[in-house]
Amino acid sequence: MEQEFELIAKTFMGLEPTLAQELTELGAKNVTIGRRMVSFTGDKEMMYRANFQLHTAIKILKPIKHFKARSADEVYEEVMKIDWSEYLDNEKTFAVDSVVFSEEFRHSKFVSYKVKDAIVDQFRERTGKRPNISVANPDIRLNMHVAEDDCTLSLDSSGESLHRRGYRQESVEAPLNEVLAAGMILQTGWKGDIDFIDPMCGSGTLLIEAALIALNMSPGVFRKEYAFEKWNDFDQDLFDEIYNDDSAEKEAKCHIYGYDVDIKAVNTARLNVKAAGLSSIITVEQADFKDFTQPQQKAIIVTNPPYGERISTPDLIGTYKMIGERLKHAFQGNEAWILSYREECFDAIGLKPSIKIPLYNGSLECEFRKYQMFEGRLQEFRSEGGVVKTEEEKKAMAEKHRFKKNRDFKKHLDEEDENEEGDIRSFKFHSFEKNYKGEPRTFEHGSDHRERGPRNDDRKPRRDRDFDHEERGGERRGSGMRGNRRDHGFDRGPRNDDRGNRRDRDFNRGGRKSGKFDKGGKFDKSGKRFSKDFDRRRSFDDEN
């Protein structure tokens, strides 16, 4: 039986319960919610699956050691006690990232230096040589977390933040983070059973994340590399099996519509949708929300309008008044979810929300509000069995201290990236580390794309795409065990090997199709962009 060990999944503040639910459904054990993180236990397969399949995780960490330290020297001494030959050798490079919440340690980089010094000194003493540091593309990534005097040193199994899925080719100003977008959708309870609409779609992040959820596709399917692939104990066959297994995917039961008044945003969203191979389920058109009309099919709206912070928006309040007016008159019988930052923006909508969920968008303390839209008077709606607010929503809204007293919607965090780092506060972990007597111990204690270095084996780069501006021509990973793939309606090119590789969609990941995006971000007109039944189900006027 595979050995189990402690793991930590980091996420954004407000998404911890959603991540815990994902982990539980994945089969993780001892799932415990913390602040910006969820701890759990599992084996190597669980660690691989957590990286590959979770929608709301930023990082998956594997703790090496928990210890207490009140000075830099104590950190150095504790790190020196670890046998680093289990993880490193003189030929491998490493990097140390630190997150510090402590009066004793005022600077995270200083802690990183002490960890690095201890590792280097141990190798010098034992071998006379030392491993090198590589900030851009290390073989081993370490994460040091300090909460007062409680320290956790972990292996970073993810490497690059998991929100970097790999499908985004271009973005608009202030794009929505992919993990936050997925968390928003999962919090609505939408499972792809009805149509999904984002009337202010920007670069299309909500649309693509919704499609992944509707199809039950793993977000890691687009990603080229994880940090654990460079570990000494990496099991390539096991990961190939996970990577190529699409047996849990579902057929599309809905269609996803994105609209934006800005044609540049529309073209960017189309490019990203095509790169993700999801053109058959997602349609993107230029349209103004003020022209929105009642959909013929039941639908849900999830959107992230501009807040006037990072994007200059003339007549911001007027925009939100228009949103409220369109929802009231052209979205009856459906529900809408809106993420925003300013209280005055929500006030301008003029509708009473069913639920308010605090979320952070970067450093902005936002709210995610649900609006249950109905036709006629509220009393008549309820008399016919309509539900404006569920019992769970009533309970959540009644919770004491759910929001800060006199909540300030304009408050910023001290550091722009602080919310991405994840906290590990004081609670008991399920540790499998042993003390010097061999007895198990339990401890208590308190994100740019990297350049890809050359591989040191004969594996080819995963997911080489024709929307990259360089022709790589590599094959995709495959175990040779799965030949016939279930057709989800994606455009699939002919296979050029017999390995059963996964998901040849309407973009090329290995030189298999001739179509190529040009450097201007446009794509060729060959092939079918959107489904024919779009006009029958669209929600905007035909004049665009």
Side-chain angles (χ1 to χ4, degrees):
M1 184 177 178
E2 187 75 28
Q3 180 185 2
E4 292 193 348
F5 42 82
E6 173 194 347
L7 291 160
I8 295 168
K10 295 167 59 176
T11 190
F12 291 116
M13 188 181 296
L15 296 183
E16 299 95 339
T18 307
L19 175 56
Q21 180 64 32
E22 278 201 277
L23 281 164
T24 300
E25 293 174 356
L26 201 61
K29 300 177 182 177
N30 303 308
V31 177
T32 305
I33 294 176
R35 186 169 181 260
R36 298 179 188 153
M37 52 80 70
V38 178
S39 70
F40 62 105
T41 59
D43 56 13
K44 189 182 295 184
E45 179 180 354
M46 177 56 62
M47 183 181 70
Y48 292 174
R49 289 190 180 277
N51 276 282
F52 187 69
Q53 294 180 222
L54 292 176
H55 295 263
T56 55
I58 297 172
K59 291 270 190 179
I60 306 297
L61 305 178
K62 181 184 179 183
I64 297 172
K65 185 180 180 67
H66 301 294
F67 59 91
K68 287 185 176 292
R70 293 178 175 82
S71 69
D73 289 339
E74 290 183 5
V75 169
Y76 179 91
E77 292 171 2
E78 292 294 334
V79 175
M80 279 286 283
K81 293 177 183 178
I82 300 169
D83 183 2
W84 287 104
S85 64
E86 294 183 18
Y87 312 103
L88 277 167
D89 58 46
N90 287 324
E91 304 303 318
K92 287 190 174 182
T93 59
F94 74 100
V96 183
D97 300 317
S98 294
V99 182
V100 177
F101 300 92
S102 174
E103 292 296 323
E104 301 292 336
F105 306 96
R106 298 301 183 94
H107 204 291
S108 60
K109 287 187 177 180
F110 178 64
V111 176
S112 296
Y113 291 147
K114 297 306 292 186
V115 174
K116 182 263 297 181
D117 288 345
I119 296 172
V120 168
D121 289 349
Q122 185 184 102
F123 274 94
R124 277 205 186 106
E125 291 176 5
R126 293 182 178 181
T127 69
K129 297 180 180 180
R130 53 155 289 177
N132 290 321
I133 305 296
S134 174
V135 177
N137 188 31
D139 295 313
I140 300 296
R141 279 190 175 272
L142 299 170
N143 181 278
M144 181 69 172
H145 190 283
V146 181
E148 298 308 332
D149 63 345
D150 294 314
C151 305
T152 301
L153 183 57
S154 305
L155 288 168
D156 180 350
S157 73
S158 304
E160 196 172 52
S161 173
L162 295 176
H163 84 273
R164 298 186 184 276
R165 312 290 202 212
Y167 59 72
R168 190 191 292 276
Q169 300 307 295
E170 292 185 2
S171 63
V172 295
E173 189 177 3
L176 191 64
N177 181 286
E178 290 85 343
V179 164
L180 177 59
M184 289 165 57
I185 296 165
L186 289 172
Q187 287 186 333
T188 70
W190 180 80
K191 299 293 185 183
D193 49 340
I194 59 174
D195 287 352
F196 182 100
I197 301 170
D198 182 358
M200 297 179 168
C201 68
S203 60
T205 306
L206 278 166
L207 307 177
I208 296 173
E209 293 298 322
L212 298 181
I213 291 169
L215 299 170
N216 202 31
M217 278 175 56
S218 298
V221 72
F222 307 103
R223 193 175 168 107
K224 291 183 180 180
E225 187 177 61
Y226 295 92
F228 61 72
E229 294 185 71
K230 295 182 178 180
W231 292 5
N232 292 335
D233 65 347
F234 174 55
D235 188 334
Q236 181 176 331
D237 291 337
L238 174 60
F239 187 52
D240 283 347
E241 182 180 350
I242 294 169
Y243 189 98
N244 287 287
D245 181 13
D246 66 352
S247 60
E249 292 186 9
K250 302 184 297 187
E251 299 288 343
K253 296 181 180 179
C254 66
H255 200 78
I256 296 169
Y257 299 98
Y259 305 96
D260 204 285
V261 69
D262 183 357
I263 189 60
K264 180 181 178 182
V266 170
N267 287 334
T268 299
R270 285 174 174 170
L271 183 68
N272 293 333
V273 168
K274 190 172 181 68
L278 296 168
S279 298
S280 64
I281 188 177
I282 300 175
T283 297
V284 186
E285 291 290 331
Q286 183 183 19
D288 196 325
F289 197 2
K290 67 182 177 62
D291 298 323
F292 188 81
T293 57
Q294 182 74 29
Q296 295 183 19
Q297 307 289 333
K298 189 170 181 60
I300 184 175
I301 281 180
V302 182
T303 193
N304 174 41
Y307 315 145
E309 282 295 311
R310 290 172 291 178
I311 301 176
S312 178
T313 307
D315 193 16
L316 183 66
I317 300 303
T319 297
Y320 279 82
K321 286 181 179 178
M322 177 271 294
I323 291 173
E325 187 272 336
R326 284 292 82 199
L327 292 179
K328 184 176 180 180
H329 295 98
F331 206 57
Q332 297 169 356
N334 299 301
E335 63 183 54
W337 292 75
I338 297 175
L339 181 74
S340 193
Y341 163 58
R342 298 175 181 272
E343 185 67 61
E344 57 266 32
C345 291
F346 282 121
D347 291 341
I349 291 176
L351 301 172
K352 188 174 181 180
S354 301
I355 188 71
K356 304 174 185 178
I357 301 174
L359 288 177
Y360 277 88
N361 184 5
S363 63
L364 300 179
E365 187 180 8
C366 300
E367 278 186 2
F368 190 39
R369 296 190 179 185
K370 173 187 174 182
Y371 297 92
Q372 181 64 56
M373 308 310 301
F374 54 88
E375 186 176 2
R377 304 173 71 101
L378 176 60
Q379 187 174 358
E380 295 174 354
F381 176 72
R382 284 176 170 165
S383 66
E384 295 174 357
V387 177
V388 176
K389 192 180 299 184
T390 66
E391 292 301 319
E392 289 184 359
E393 289 169 347
K394 290 178 183 178
K395 183 179 178 181
M397 291 289 279
E399 285 179 7
K400 291 183 179 181
H401 312 303
R402 180 173 175 79
F403 299 101
K404 299 175 183 176
K405 189 176 181 180
N406 301 321
R407 187 160 186 254
D408 182 5
F409 274 73
K410 297 182 180 180
K411 180 180 178 181
H412 288 66
L413 297 179
D414 293 336
E415 298 181 24
E416 182 74 18
D417 296 329
E418 179 184 351
N419 194 39
E420 289 196 20
E421 292 299 342
D423 288 349
I424 307 169
R425 299 300 188 182
S426 298
F427 61 94
K428 192 171 291 186
F429 277 107
H430 297 273
S431 177
F432 296 88
E433 185 176 347
K434 294 184 178 181
N435 59 22
Y436 293 110
K437 297 180 181 180
E439 299 169 344
R441 295 192 294 179
T442 299
F443 298 86
E444 292 188 7
H445 60 88
S447 342
D448 311 318
H449 285 286
R450 304 192 311 273
E451 294 180 3
R452 307 289 183 185
R455 293 180 179 270
N456 58 2
D457 58 20
D458 59 354
R459 288 181 292 130
K460 302 298 190 297
R462 298 224 310 280
R463 306 239 163 250
D464 296 328
R465 309 167 177 77
D466 66 357
F467 49 76
D468 284 340
H469 299 322
E470 298 176 2
E471 196 69 31
R472 297 190 182 95
E475 295 176 344
R476 289 201 318 282
R477 171 185 305 276
S479 63
M481 297 298 292
R482 308 184 64 86
N484 296 322
R485 315 307 289 173
R486 201 155 38 94
D487 183 9
H488 290 296
F490 300 110
D491 297 330
R492 290 185 170 91
R495 299 183 181 281
N496 62 358
D497 60 23
D498 58 354
R499 303 193 313 163
N501 285 320
R502 174 173 184 158
R503 295 195 186 85
D504 296 329
R505 294 200 175 87
D506 48 1
F507 62 99
N508 174 29
R509 296 192 183 98
R512 288 188 178 142
K513 285 193 176 183
S514 58
K516 182 178 176 68
F517 294 110
D518 63 31
K519 292 186 178 181
K522 298 179 180 179
F523 48 90
D524 60 18
K525 296 183 179 179
S526 63
K528 184 177 172 184
R529 245 179 224 175
F530 304 112
S531 59
K532 288 183 178 179
D533 64 342
F534 170 61
D535 289 335
R536 177 176 60 83
R537 304 203 293 171
R538 65 184 301 172
S539 302
F540 285 90
D541 294 335
D542 290 336
E543 297 177 5
N544 291 315

